Amino acid sequence: FPQTVRGHPYWADRWGVSRQQCLELLASLRADPSWDSSTNVYKFVTDFIKPLTTGTGLGYALYTNADDPLEVNVMISHSWAENVEEFLEAVGSSVSDSDVMFICFLSLYQCEDESGPSIANQLGGDPRDGPFFRVLKNIRRHGDEAGWPWRWRRAMWMVPKVFLGLGLASIAAPVAILGCIPGFGSCLWYWPSSGKGQEWGWEKYFYHTDIWWSFLPELDHYADGSVSFAAPRWISLALPCMILCLAISVGVVVFLTVRPIYNGRMVAI
């Protein structure tokens, strides 16, 4: 059965509370001198939810948002035996400000009076008619409308991290393996300096014209007949690779931020 606000029926996918409302509830409980911080969900429903909502026919969620019922995008699974403070804290750290949650003890009308639907009526005789199935079905519908970005959303948020790591690795590899700091057209190598005997120092080496794979500077012969040490050419790819990877990482973050992807899901707390 739905819950009714001013003659308008609202089904379970509109029995939602926001993260901010959960945190405000937690703050109000802690500010109450009579509040017992060891209270579990069972006792909380009896001592707080029922007295507050009795006679309204509305669960706490719809009671709080009667003027603008919130559509759920997160189904919260939890235990009624758990501590209410710990639960609300966990909710606050598990969802974002844009999320709207279905939490059964806050969403269902708990009073079992004549003012609203009973718990049995709200749950329905068939699980497919119940609030949990209805909420998950609605989340799935929105997810299907959003398409593949919704299904791959978590993986897409890993892309910036992967490319950031690749970019840092590409610039760190020549430094860690060869002691060479790559740049455009040349690199700085800690090597016995020319004209200084065996004294070590930083030397600028251009990239070799032919040799790609080596772990030491190699002699390079130039068109003017001169000969000098040059760095292997693979090092020349390090800086462009880092810039490309960082650009991809930033680009994906901007894309996911500017074009938010529907984030319907189920969270166990």
Side-chain angles (χ1 to χ4, degrees):
F1 283 28
Q3 297 174 22
T4 304
V5 178
R6 293 186 283 273
H8 191 287
Y10 289 98
W11 295 90
D13 52 7
R14 291 283 180 170
W15 303 349
V17 289
S18 68
R19 173 180 180 271
Q20 184 60 35
Q21 289 170 339
C22 287
L23 295 179
E24 289 172 356
L25 174 60
L26 176 60
S28 67
L29 294 174
R30 287 174 168 169
D32 186 346
S34 64
W35 171 248
D36 181 357
S37 61
S38 66
T39 300
N40 64 19
V41 173
Y42 288 110
K43 192 171 189 303
F44 177 68
V45 168
T46 299
D47 294 348
F48 181 84
I49 297 295
K50 288 183 178 181
L52 179 67
T53 60
T54 188
T56 66
L58 305 176
Y60 177 84
L62 202 52
Y63 173 83
T64 304
N65 298 298
D67 292 333
D68 185 21
L70 304 180
E71 185 175 14
V72 175
N73 75 296
V74 179
M75 167 68 80
I76 299 290
S77 174
H78 67 93
S79 167
W80 278 56
E82 66 184 304
N83 180 274
V84 171
E85 284 195 17
E86 293 177 357
F87 171 77
L88 293 174
E89 286 178 343
V91 167
S93 62
S94 301
V95 300
S96 68
D97 287 336
S98 62
D99 286 322
V100 176
M101 295 152 289
F102 179 96
I103 302 171
C104 64
F105 73 89
L106 297 180
S107 297
L108 270 65
Y109 184 54
Q110 304 287 345
C111 296
E112 297 283 52
D113 56 21
E114 299 299 322
S115 300
S118 66
I119 292 176
N121 285 338
Q122 291 173 90
L123 294 178
D126 187 331
R128 290 173 295 181
D129 296 329
F132 308 108
F133 185 85
R134 185 179 290 272
V135 169
L136 292 174
K137 183 179 180 180
N138 191 56
I139 290 173
R140 177 61 185 267
R141 179 177 64 83
H142 283 297
D144 289 341
E145 291 172 355
W148 67 266
W150 174 64
R151 290 186 290 274
W152 291 95
R153 184 181 186 279
R154 187 178 297 273
M156 289 178 69
W157 273 110
M158 290 298 297
V159 171
K161 299 176 184 179
V162 170
F163 276 93
L164 178 61
L166 289 174
L168 295 177
S170 65
I171 203 72
V175 177
I177 298 173
L178 307 176
C180 170
I181 302 177
F184 290 110
S186 64
C187 71
L188 291 176
W189 210 313
Y190 197 65
W191 194 250
S193 302
S194 57
K196 300 180 182 179
Q198 291 300 310
E199 182 181 347
W200 287 65
W202 292 102
E203 283 287 302
K204 182 178 181 179
Y205 287 93
F206 294 102
Y207 296 120
H208 205 286
T209 55
D210 299 314
I211 297 177
W212 277 88
W213 304 110
S214 177
F215 294 107
L216 294 171
E218 301 284 349
L219 285 174
D220 197 4
H221 299 267
Y222 298 99
D224 60 3
S226 61
V227 178
S228 67
F229 282 104
R233 288 195 65 80
W234 70 268
I235 300 176
S236 67
L237 302 176
L239 190 57
C241 182
M242 183 195 74
I243 293 173
L244 176 62
C245 289
L246 292 181
I248 293 174
S249 180
V250 171
V252 173
V253 169
V254 171
F255 172 78
L256 294 175
T257 303
V258 173
R259 185 181 180 275
I261 299 171
Y262 179 68
N263 193 22
R265 64 202 187 277
M266 183 172 183
V267 176
I269 294 180

